[in-house]
Structures are given as C-alpha cells and as structure tokens.
Amino acid sequence: MQIRAFQLSDYRSVAELLEIALSEECCEETMSALSRQLSWDSELVLVAQREDAIVGVMIGTIDQSKGYVYRIAVHPDNRRQGVGRSLVSAMNVRFRQRNVMKVLIAGDKHNEMLLPFYQSVGEQALDLVKLSRPLSIVAG
C-alpha cells in the first residue's frame, strides 16, 4: 500500500470511494470540503492506494499552527487492515513538517463516532473541536 498526495487523476476514484464509504449527507459535505482544500493545498489530501485502486482518503488543513483532520474514509472492503492508521500517520508527518503544534479533529457528527479510532492511532492527544466556520474559511 502506498500513501501519497492526491493527484487530479484520482478525483473520480476518490469521489466513488466517498460515495461508498460515507453516508449521503457526509459525502456531499466532504466533496465540497475536498474541492476547497484541493484549491488551497492538495498536499494535505492524502490517498491510500493498493495496486491500482484508491482504498482510502484523508483530508486535512492547517490554520496557523493548528492542523485539522477534516475527514477520513476507507473502503469497507479494506477496513481494519491498517489503511486508516497509515493515513493518520502520514498526515501527522505532513503536519510536523509544517510546524503544526496541535492536531484537532473537526467535530462534526460524522467524526464524533470516529473519535475512539483517532485516539487509538494518534501519536499525540487529539481533541475534537467544533468548527465555528466552514472549512473554507478556517484554512483560507
């Protein structure tokens, strides 16, 4: 498995993955956030690739010295195989390279149920934070 930055050629595969892995409402919100984040910094959109298939995606952003994990999605057939853990680890590396002092999880209803996962894989304590502004304003 390879973890790498999103490439434009990944768009269709990532969109399909999000439709499969997320609820309809969550998918719509995530597609909007994905588009915004790609316009600012595609290096903080990571994909997990096995052979020729995208099996996971993670969207992060940075606001000053804080890193925000917006969304993680793993294809149902590839869950509990270390895909999510690898994505979190790779994002933490990106955050450290950019001098992020604190990593926060976007505290929407979709991420709240994943908090135990984030805490189990976090190399540092992760806090769930309710964003007072949409992702587009936080990072912009």
Side-chain angles (χ1 to χ4, degrees):
M1 179 175 56
Q2 175 189 17
I3 305 295
R4 61 173 174 75
F6 178 94
Q7 299 168 358
L8 188 55
S9 60
D10 297 327
Y11 190 83
R12 176 182 235 157
S13 296
V14 167
E16 290 172 1
L17 169 69
L18 294 174
E19 287 177 9
I20 292 168
L22 304 175
S23 69
E24 185 176 340
E25 176 188 15
C26 184
C27 182
E28 288 175 17
E29 292 172 14
T30 302
M31 288 301 295
S32 295
L34 172 65
S35 296
R36 288 187 301 267
Q37 184 59 34
L38 289 174
S39 71
W40 302 316
D41 188 350
S42 63
E43 292 293 313
L44 293 176
V45 177
L46 301 179
V47 297
Q49 182 175 351
R50 278 204 176 127
E51 298 173 16
D52 291 335
I54 302 295
V55 297
V57 63
M58 185 172 206
I59 303 168
T61 195
I62 296 175
D63 180 27
Q64 298 173 5
S65 64
K66 294 178 184 159
Y68 292 89
V69 173
Y70 179 72
R71 188 77 67 231
I72 187 169
V74 175
H75 191 285
D77 294 343
N78 290 271
R79 292 181 182 158
R80 301 198 180 276
Q81 298 177 21
V83 176
R85 183 175 299 275
S86 296
L87 285 164
V88 169
S89 179
M91 186 65 75
N92 282 339
V93 168
R94 302 255 168 146
F95 284 155
R96 281 193 301 272
Q97 290 170 340
R98 295 185 183 199
N99 300 315
V100 165
M101 299 297 160
K102 185 161 186 71
V103 178
L104 302 165
I105 307 299
D108 64 14
K109 64 184 176 184
H110 309 294
N111 275 339
E112 287 176 0
M113 63 184 168
L114 292 176
L115 190 56
F117 163 76
Y118 286 122
Q119 291 172 334
S120 75
V121 298
E123 297 172 20
Q124 58 191 24
L126 297 173
D127 295 321
L128 195 70
V129 63
K130 299 279 187 198
L131 298 180
S132 59
R133 300 170 289 170
L135 180 62
S136 61
I137 298 172
V138 170

